[in-house]
């Protein structure tokens, strides 16, 4: 078994990971005082089970949809109806979940890469109500993240400038480090760490190698995930 990150829960399989994440999400919503609840969604395939689960009555009936605002930790710079779009993946998975108009905040992808990144930063700052992040007032109630086979998270790829960004909340990524090789837009580590809860969902044997590299102390982007983090891994990923 691969040594697990600090604060990790080992679950039987991908469905159990999705259910554990959904249960934690419902609990944090129930514990949240009044007002908006901001969620930062991750892309890729792993979280699709979670999103579909949240849309099912057993969870959908327990969620305060009128308070929830859904943001994206990154996206591919493609049209929102593109098969590679994280917005499309989330909308397909959420199905007819009762997300009120204006509560889904996709990353804009219709303009120039840098301009769309700047626009999303403005969207986040307008929602937050300030230009700088206050450590005592997180931007998000929940940030969901995944782990790429190269150790990336969001669209923060090894060796790319966005990994080192410490001022901007959102960064353009002209060259992705892993397929799909399309330009990306990503939140930066300061923005992703401004959270009450961070859940990293990792499933499948293909994630053993990045987990081993993290356990060996490699400075992969995923090693820089910060905030109140919990890793939810299945046995296939942990080789357990
Ligand atoms: C993306 C994701 C990315 C993802 C990892 C894991 O846009 O692709 O944000 O960071 O979380 O690449 O992807 P899988 O869940 O598909 O393995």
């Amino acid at each position: 078994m691969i040594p697990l990150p600090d604060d990790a829960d080992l679950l039987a399989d991908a469905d159990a990971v999705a259910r554990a994440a959904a249960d934690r999400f419902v609990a944090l919503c129930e514990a949240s005082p009044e007002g908006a609840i901001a969620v930062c969604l991750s892309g890729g395939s792993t979280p699709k089970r979670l999103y579909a689960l949240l849309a099912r009555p057993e969870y959908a009936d327990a969620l305060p949809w009128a308070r929830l605002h859904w943001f994206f930790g990154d996206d591919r710079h493609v049209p929102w109806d593109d098969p590679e779009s994280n917005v499309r993946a989330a909308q397909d998975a959420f199905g007819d979940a009762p997300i009120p108009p204006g509560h889904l905040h996709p990353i804009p992808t219709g303009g120039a890469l840098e301009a769309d990144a700047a626009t999303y930063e403005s969207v986040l700052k307008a929602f937050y109500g300030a230009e700088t992040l206050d450590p005592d007032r997180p931007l998000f109630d929940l940030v969901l993240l995944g782990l790429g086979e190269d150790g990336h998270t969001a669209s923060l790829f090894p060796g790319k400038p966005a990994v080192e960004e410490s001022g901007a909340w959102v960064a353009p990524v002209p060259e992705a480090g892993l397929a799909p090789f399309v330009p990306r837009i990503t939140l930066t580590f300061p923005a992703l760490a401004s959270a009450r809860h961070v859940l990293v969902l990792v499933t499948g044997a293909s994630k053993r190698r990045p987990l081993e590299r993290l356990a060996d102390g490699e400075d992969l982007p995923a090693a820089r995930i910060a905030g109140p983090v919990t890793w939810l891994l299945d046995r296939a990923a942990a080789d357990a």
Side-chain angles (χ1 to χ4, degrees), residues 119-235:
T119 298
Y120 204 56
E121 178 157 327
S122 301
V123 167
L124 292 173
K125 289 180 173 178
F127 179 83
Y128 185 66
E131 289 292 311
T132 55
L133 292 168
D134 178 348
D136 296 325
R137 185 169 72 89
L139 168 59
F140 297 114
D141 294 274
L142 173 64
V143 168
L144 295 170
L145 289 171
L147 175 64
E149 294 178 21
D150 61 349
H152 81 262
T153 193
S155 284
L156 297 162
F157 295 98
K160 302 293 185 183
V163 172
E164 305 302 334
E165 178 58 53
S166 60
W169 298 12
V170 183
V173 182
E175 293 181 4
L178 209 61
F181 292 101
V182 296
R184 313 287 189 93
I185 289 177
T186 188
L187 269 58
T188 60
F189 279 118
L192 293 170
S194 182
R196 295 186 194 285
H197 303 273
V198 179
L199 291 179
V200 189
L201 278 58
V202 184
T203 63
S206 69
K207 304 302 172 73
R208 290 177 185 174
R209 186 66 192 120
L211 284 172
E212 286 167 344
R213 294 176 65 191
L214 288 169
D216 290 344
E218 277 197 59
D219 182 20
L220 298 171
R224 303 189 187 193
I225 294 172
V229 184
T230 301
W231 292 67
L232 301 178
L233 310 109
D234 73 357
R235 293 189 175 282

Side-chain angles (χ1 to χ4, degrees), residues 60-127:
D61 294 347
L63 290 175
W65 293 95
R67 296 177 59 199
L68 286 163
H69 284 261
W70 309 86
F71 298 88
F72 289 82
D74 72 313
D75 211 343
R76 297 78 185 271
H77 198 249
V78 296
W80 291 342
D81 60 358
D82 188 292
E84 296 291 2
S85 165
N86 287 338
V87 173
R88 170 165 173 180
Q91 288 179 319
D92 288 350
F94 274 124
D96 57 2
I99 299 176
H103 281 227
L104 185 72
H105 305 273
I107 295 176
T109 60
L113 186 68
E114 291 74 9
D116 285 340
T119 298
Y120 204 56
E121 178 157 327
S122 301
V123 167
L124 292 173
K125 289 180 173 178
F127 179 83

